[in-house]
Amino acid sequence: AIYIRGGSDPGHTTDFVAVRHAIDADQKIVFNVSTIPGLHPIVNGELNKNEVIPDISWDQYLANFSVEHTPGINTPFDKPASLLAGEHGITVVLVGPDFDNTRNVLKGKQFVGTVVHP
């Protein structure tokens, strides 16, 4: 099933709502389609936009990419949602807006994106 939804309450981001609904539906994978193709590595203190990290654990993600959530903050997947996903063993697949690439994810084929997992 595919479920599309926005934020539900003030302070609840779309990331958090997606994870909450995955938990309620007993699902273990959330797809996050955004304007970026996945996590870019930080090299010498700068984002390397020519590469995408294919695979990372929640512990690694939280240590390297997550910041405290405040209104207007822009992170690949926000901290409250990341903590909730990690706590419930949910994997998040970060992919960009390329529909052919998203189709590859759904078909189990090679794709450009990042899998964030427990």
Side-chain angles (χ1 to χ4, degrees):
I2 296 174
Y3 187 80
I4 299 173
R5 171 89 192 240
S8 58
D9 297 306
H12 285 186
T13 64
T14 55
D15 298 343
F16 185 86
V17 171
V19 172
R20 182 79 254 155
H21 281 289
I23 292 165
D24 292 346
D26 198 29
Q27 298 301 303
K28 293 295 182 185
I29 299 176
V30 169
F31 291 93
N32 183 344
V33 180
S34 72
T35 59
I36 60 169
L39 292 176
H40 298 295
I42 298 171
V43 179
N44 298 325
E46 295 196 25
L47 216 52
N48 179 353
K49 292 186 177 184
N50 296 320
E51 291 185 40
V52 173
I53 298 169
D55 182 89
I56 190 170
S57 71
W58 281 119
D59 289 341
Q60 293 169 315
Y61 177 82
L62 287 164
N64 294 292
F65 292 95
S66 185
V67 296
E68 288 302 317
H69 181 75
T70 57
I73 195 75
N74 189 7
T75 60
F77 206 76
D78 71 60
K79 189 171 187 174
S82 298
L83 291 168
L84 189 62
E87 178 183 320
H88 288 273
I90 293 174
T91 296
V92 172
V93 180
L94 305 171
V95 294
D98 178 340
F99 287 112
D100 290 330
N101 190 50
T102 302
R103 188 176 299 114
N104 287 342
V105 174
L106 296 172
K107 290 183 174 185
K109 295 181 178 180
Q110 187 174 5
F111 68 96
V112 175
T114 303
V115 177
V116 189
H117 56 84

